[in-house]
């Protein structure tokens, strides 16, 4: 679910590495892996981190897939870290149709507001890191 986003961004970051440095490493007799390790990866490190953060931001907004994977246990908190649980999007999706009390509906809106704020902060941090990565490469 997250890997396609991370892979696409990392591929774009790799393509921003200067061609002259790649060719210089190859001209000095470096293998393809050595060229990637010496010329591409050092310049792409912050872009890879930014891509990972953007992938996390994508995972925060996923509802149904994460709900099915995590077990969809909204009403109880288990003692085990590997036990069933619920995420903020899954709580909103599961309880919104049943929210007939005013405070219940308002609390779901507060959960949605915090989810949006958290996802926004994660995405802004990721974008800033990717933008800084582009400036470092250029």
């Amino acid at each position: 679910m997250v890997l396609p986003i991370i892979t696409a961004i990392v591929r774009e970051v790799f393509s921003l590495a200067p061609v002259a440095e790649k060719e210089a490493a190859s001209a000095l007799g470096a293998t393809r892996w050595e060229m990637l390790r010496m010329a591409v990866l050092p310049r792409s490190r912050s872009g890879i981190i930014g891509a990972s953060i953007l992938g996390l931001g994508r995972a925060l907004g996923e509802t149904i897939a994460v709900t099915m994977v995590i077990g969809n246990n909204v009403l109880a908190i288990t003692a085990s870290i590997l036990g069933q649980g619920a995420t903020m999007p899954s709580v909103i999706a599961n309880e919104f149709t049943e929210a007939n009390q005013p405070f219940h509906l308002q609390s779901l809106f507060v959960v949605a507001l915090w989810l949006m704020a958290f996802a926004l902060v994660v995405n802004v941090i990721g974008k800033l890191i990717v933008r800084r990565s582009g400036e470092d490469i250029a």
Side-chain angles (χ1 to χ4, degrees), residues 9-121:
I9 295 172
V10 167
R11 187 173 175 203
E12 289 296 320
V13 169
F14 284 168
S15 69
L16 292 175
V19 177
E21 290 185 16
K22 293 179 191 177
E23 290 175 354
S26 296
L28 290 173
T31 63
R32 184 170 172 85
W33 171 246
E34 289 171 338
M35 181 267 300
L36 284 171
R37 193 176 43 138
M38 291 186 302
V40 177
L41 287 177
R43 291 193 175 261
S44 304
R45 187 167 292 133
S46 62
I48 294 169
I49 294 169
S52 301
I53 291 174
L54 289 175
L56 172 67
R58 165 128 177 137
L60 290 174
E62 288 292 333
T63 304
I64 302 304
V66 174
T67 301
M68 291 180 176
V69 168
I70 203 167
N72 196 18
N73 188 11
V74 176
L75 299 176
I77 298 175
T78 60
S80 171
I81 194 166
L82 300 175
Q84 294 180 337
T87 61
M88 290 193 297
S90 67
V91 169
I92 295 168
N94 288 332
E95 294 187 15
F96 195 75
T97 58
E98 301 167 2
N100 52 13
Q101 304 289 328
F103 290 122
H104 191 190
L105 191 59
Q106 291 170 356
S107 66
L108 289 176
F109 281 126
V110 169
V111 170
L113 179 70
W114 279 108
L115 175 66
M116 185 180 73
F118 189 62
L120 181 69
V121 166

